[in-house]
Every structure is written in C-alpha cells, then in structure tokens.
C-alpha cells in the first residue's frame, strides 16, 4: 500500500462492507461451535447489514431470480399458521425459524469485488476443526461428553455430519487448487481430522452421504486418475469406515431394521404402523398419506404432528416432522411446498454448477449437494444449524448473473490482484 493515504487505508478497513465481510467470516467460524455462538454471530451479521446502511443500498437484489424462492420459503410457514390446527405452539416454533433467511439478504450485500471468498471458507474449516478436536478429546475421555455422543460443542450429530462432509469436500477442493506442498499437507491433515470425527458420531445419514460423494473427494485429491480407478478407491472406503466401532454398531442397527421389515407381516412392514425399528418409514408413510388427502395446501405449519397422531395409535410417540425436507414441505404446504423446495434447490444448483471452478461456487455446490442428500433423511429446513448455513450460502448467489470466470479483486489487506471469487 506504498504511496496510499493512511487515512484512506484506515477508512477502507472499516467501511461497512469490510465490517460485514468479517462478521460473515465470524459466522462461518462460529456455526460449528454450538447454537449460541451461531445465533450471536448471525445477529451480528444482520445488525451490521441494517445499521451500516447496506440494507438500504441493495434494493436492486429484489430483481434477482435467486431471491424469489427464498421469499417463498420465508412466507409459507407464516401463511401455513392460518389454517394449521389450533393451538399450535409447534407451528409457531417452526415459523419463527424463518428469521434465519434474513441472513441471505445480508450475505448478498457482499459484492466480492474487493474481497476474496476463500478466507470465509477457511473460517468454516477452522470452526469444524476446532469442534472435531474437542469431539476426539471427548472420545478419549480427556473432556466430558454427552453420553456416547462425541459431538464437541453440542451440535446434533445429524447437523454435524453435514458440516463435516462439506468440510471434507471443500478441503479436497482447496487441496486440488493449492500451489505448494505445505498447504496441500495442511488440507490433507484437516480432511483426516474431519473424517475421524465423522466416524465416531452416530450419523448414519452422514456415512451414506459421504460414500455417495466420495468420488468427488477422491477426484479432487487425485484429479489425474481415471474414473474407474476413482470408483475402485471409493469401494474400498466402507472397509476403512467399519474400523470404527461406532460405524459398526450403526451398520448392525441398520441390518437389524432391514431384517425386521423383511420378516414382518404386510400389515406392519415399511411403516404401516409405528415401531422403533421403522420410525422413519412410519413418518414418511404418514407424510405421503397427508399429501394425498391435502394435495394443494397441506395441513399447515406444525399440522403434521396432529395429522399423524390422528392416524396412529394412542401409544405412538408424538412426532413433529417427517425427517425428510421434501416430505415436510409436501405435508405442510402441499404442492406449493414441493414447488418452493424444488425451485429453491434447482436455482441454487444451476448457479453453483456454472461457477463450480471458483472458490465461492465450489463451496455453494458442495453445501447444496450434501444438504440435499442428507435432507432426504433429516429435517434440515427446520434445524437451526443447517438452515443458517443454507441461508448464508443462498446469499452467495448474488453477483452471479454474468458469465462465470475470474474477477479482478482486492483482498482486505493487499493491493490489486486477480483472485477467484
């Protein structure tokens, strides 16, 4: 910065967009460290966006195609309260979670014309790594844990599984694009840490998603390998995974559940009645029945719980949502909910795919792929940790209207240069 006015440099470091940039980086760091750090950092992002005036300088984003499905996801839960069963505290709880989508608007205020995205990616990797170290210390007995769940700072294992797989994918991309041996070694070590933590938490959905997406990881690590060799390596991964006693236990549990379905009578199998061996199938069967009976608008926000209870036995447990994002949207809001879900992910996938060779685009693409796969077995749209990440990632689409490629950018504390955003 030789020759620049120090006052101008200082002003540059503390202008609204710079402050927002660091608030966003803090949010990506904090989301793996528990609900409270995530909420505080998310509130800081929105506060900076509002009180800096950036919220009132970016009205042009209303014309962005990526914003409309987000607005639909924001307003549907509130609209669904109108016709949901009363009283409905569960529905109100679901509706209030929509405030996380405001972070999409705040994220969109970052133009990335003067900043690199990669430090934000580093912040996310660092947060997941800190939590993974704590989780491994819990397993070793160095730090107290919550029973058998070595989840670190307290994230649910389903949420944490998604974070870990995203971190592995992003780390493999950074490994591929690193220019020297030292950063490659660091990213490889981080990926090993994330993998080790994934293998000691109870997330069967995470194990499945990792196996499905492992070809992307292997291809990034050895991009010159032919695809058939990549697939052979991926087929060897289950053998490595079962070295973990937690994975073996969860795999055996899955086998036992499948045996139950095979041996159960036709009146019981595959979720026709509730059983601890088939709770997911029971939830999904109920959601499909609700959709058939209420195809246009569903049963409203929080209405799934009451509708499922009416179909079951008195002894059946209370289940608030079907643990499947698209079935939750379908049961709650009918075909309109299916439209909102599909529209949101199609736009996000299309934009991310066009920019998959950039730091920002690859992060968005990997996040969307992981959350779509794991969302088939979990309720990510109702989980604070995943919907917060999804809202920030959705806001990263702003500025992608033009053709993909390299942009001229200036990192926060450097002069002019060319970087991938």
């Amino acid at each position: 910065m030789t020759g620049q006015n120090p006052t101008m440099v200082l002003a540059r470091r503390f202008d609204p967009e710079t402050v927002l940039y660091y608030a966003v980086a803090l949010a990506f760091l904090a989301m793996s460290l528990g609900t409270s750090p995530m909420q505080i950092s998310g509130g800081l992002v929105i506060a900076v966006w509002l009180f800096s005036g950036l919220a009132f300088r970016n009205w042009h984003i209303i014309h962005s195609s990526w914003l409309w499905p987000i607005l639909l996801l924001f307003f549907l839960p509130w609209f669904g309260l109108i016709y949901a069963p009363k009283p409905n505290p569960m529905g109100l709880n679901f509706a209030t979670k929509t405030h996380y989508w405001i972070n999409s608007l705040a994220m969109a205020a970052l133009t990335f014309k003067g900043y690199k995205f990669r430090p934000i990616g580093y912040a996310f990797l660092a947060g997941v790594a800190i939590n993974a170290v704590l989780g491994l210390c819990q397993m070793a007995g160095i730090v107290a844990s919550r029973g058998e769940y070595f989840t670190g700072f307290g994230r649910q294992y389903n949420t944490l599984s998604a974070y870990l797989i995203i971190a592995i994918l992003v780390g493999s991309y950074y490994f591929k694009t690193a220019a020297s041996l030292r950063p490659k070694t660091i990213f490889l070590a981080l990926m090993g840490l994330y993998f080790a933590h994934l293998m000691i938490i109870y997330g069967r959905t995470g194990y499945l998603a990792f196996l499905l997406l492992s070809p992307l990881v292997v291809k990034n690590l050895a991009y010159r390998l032919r695809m058939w060799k990549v697939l052979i390596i991926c087929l060897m991964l289950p053998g490595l995974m079962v070295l973990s006693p937690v994975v073996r236990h969860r795999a055996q549990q899955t086998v036992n559940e499948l045996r139950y379905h095979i041996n159960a009578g036709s009146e019981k199998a595959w979720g026709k009645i509730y059983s601890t061996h088939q709770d997911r199938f029971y939830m999904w069967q109920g959601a499909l029945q609700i959709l058939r009976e209420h195809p246009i608008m569903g049963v409203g926000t929080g209405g799934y719980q009451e509708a499922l209870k009416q179909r079951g036995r008195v002894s059946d447990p209370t289940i608030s949502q079907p643990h499947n994002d698209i079935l939750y949207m379908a049961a709650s809001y009918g075909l309109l909910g299916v439209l909102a879900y599909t529209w949101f992910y199609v736009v996000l996938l299309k934009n991310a795919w066009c920019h998959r060779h950039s730091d920002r685009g690859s992060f968005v693409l990997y996040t969307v792929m992981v959350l779509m796969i794991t969302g088939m077995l979990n309720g990510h749209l109702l989980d604070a940790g995943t919907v917060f990440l999804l809202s920030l990632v959705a806001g990263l689409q702003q500025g992608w209207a033009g053709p993909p490629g390299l942009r001229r950018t200036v990192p926060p504390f450097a002069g002019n240069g060319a970087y991938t955003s």
Side-chain angles (χ1 to χ4, degrees):
M1 295 186 181
T2 305
Q4 295 188 31
N5 188 322
T7 304
M8 294 178 62
V9 172
L10 187 62
R12 166 66 175 156
R13 291 184 179 181
F14 292 98
D15 71 358
E17 192 169 350
T18 301
V19 177
L20 180 61
Y21 177 87
Y22 287 111
V24 166
L26 178 63
F28 274 84
L29 171 70
M31 69 175 67
S32 298
L33 307 182
T35 302
S36 294
M38 180 199 73
Q39 291 178 336
I40 293 171
S41 61
L44 178 63
V45 168
I46 294 174
V48 171
W49 174 66
L50 282 174
F51 296 113
S52 68
L54 288 173
F56 308 101
R57 301 179 198 171
N58 292 277
W59 287 107
H60 61 278
I61 69 169
I62 200 69
H63 302 294
S64 302
S65 61
W66 63 265
L67 180 61
W68 294 102
I70 292 176
L71 293 177
L72 189 56
L73 287 173
F74 180 89
F75 287 111
L76 264 181
W78 294 102
F79 175 70
L81 286 177
I82 298 174
Y83 58 93
K86 305 295 188 299
N88 190 16
M90 182 62 66
L92 184 60
N93 178 49
F94 289 169
T96 55
K97 291 180 185 289
T98 59
H99 76 272
Y100 287 110
W101 291 111
I102 299 174
N103 287 279
S104 297
L105 304 179
M107 189 80 235
L110 283 179
T111 61
F112 288 100
K113 292 179 180 178
Y115 308 90
K116 294 189 293 183
F117 174 77
R118 185 163 288 206
I120 293 177
Y122 288 164
F124 176 77
L125 295 185
V128 178
I130 292 169
N131 191 69
V133 169
L134 180 60
L136 292 172
C137 288
Q138 289 172 339
M139 184 193 69
I142 300 172
V143 178
S145 63
R146 299 183 306 152
E148 298 177 294
Y149 299 103
F150 309 121
T151 54
F153 285 96
R155 276 272 172 241
Q156 293 184 359
Y157 59 77
N158 290 325
T159 307
L160 186 56
S161 294
Y163 285 176
L164 287 164
I165 300 168
I166 294 167
I168 291 172
L169 285 162
V170 172
S172 71
Y173 175 81
Y174 290 168
F175 175 93
K176 176 183 176 180
T177 56
S180 62
L181 180 60
R182 182 178 179 183
K184 284 181 180 291
T185 303
I186 292 173
F187 292 130
L188 201 60
L190 284 173
M191 291 171 62
L193 174 64
Y194 303 144
F195 179 78
H197 196 197
L198 182 64
M199 293 303 101
I200 64 169
I201 58 178
Y202 278 53
R204 286 183 291 181
T205 306
Y207 308 153
L208 175 62
F210 174 75
L211 289 174
L212 291 175
L213 295 172
S214 60
L216 294 176
V217 177
V218 177
K219 192 63 178 175
N220 281 339
L221 295 179
Y223 54 90
R224 294 179 181 176
L225 281 182
R226 294 189 176 184
M227 200 61 201
W228 67 270
K229 294 182 179 180
V230 170
L231 293 176
I232 289 176
I233 294 174
C234 293
L235 290 174
M236 297 169 61
L237 285 175
L240 178 62
M241 293 171 66
V242 295
L243 294 176
S244 165
V246 177
V247 174
R248 289 199 303 272
H249 170 73
R250 296 294 272 172
Q252 185 60 51
Q253 186 177 353
T254 302
V255 170
N256 293 339
E257 290 173 356
L258 290 174
R259 284 175 178 168
Y260 173 88
H261 294 298
I262 293 171
N263 297 322
S266 58
E267 73 284 356
K268 294 182 179 181
W270 306 108
K272 292 184 177 64
I273 64 172
Y274 178 81
S275 166
T276 54
H277 298 288
Q278 57 177 4
D279 52 355
R280 283 291 198 278
F281 291 118
Y282 177 73
M283 298 175 199
W284 299 340
Q285 283 269 10
L288 290 172
Q289 290 175 9
I290 292 169
L291 177 62
R292 283 194 291 267
E293 296 172 10
H294 306 272
I296 306 301
M297 298 175 63
V299 290
T301 309
Y304 172 86
Q305 176 176 293
E306 181 64 26
L308 189 66
K309 195 71 175 175
Q310 291 176 0
R311 284 163 176 74
R313 300 167 298 183
V314 176
S315 59
D316 291 346
T318 299
I319 301 173
S320 60
Q321 48 102 354
H323 290 76
N324 178 296
D325 280 340
I326 193 167
L327 289 180
Y328 162 72
M329 296 297 291
S332 300
Y333 314 112
L335 295 179
L336 186 59
V338 175
L339 170 65
Y341 175 91
T342 305
W343 189 10
F344 172 74
Y345 273 114
V346 166
V347 170
L348 199 51
L349 272 174
K350 179 182 176 181
N351 288 334
W353 181 259
C354 290
H355 296 80
R356 64 189 182 279
H357 298 303
S358 69
D359 290 346
R360 187 155 50 122
S362 62
F363 192 98
V364 175
L365 181 62
Y366 293 148
T367 300
V368 172
M369 293 174 71
V370 171
L371 294 185
M372 282 188 68
I373 293 173
T374 55
M376 293 297 102
L377 296 166
N378 296 302
H380 286 330
L381 293 177
L382 296 173
D383 180 81
T386 47
V387 78
F388 179 66
L389 173 59
L390 199 54
S391 67
L392 291 173
V393 163
L396 288 172
Q397 297 173 93
Q398 179 62 19
W400 276 353
L406 297 178
R407 301 165 184 256
R408 294 289 298 176
T409 62
V410 183
F413 298 115
N416 293 330
Y419 299 90
T420 305
S421 63

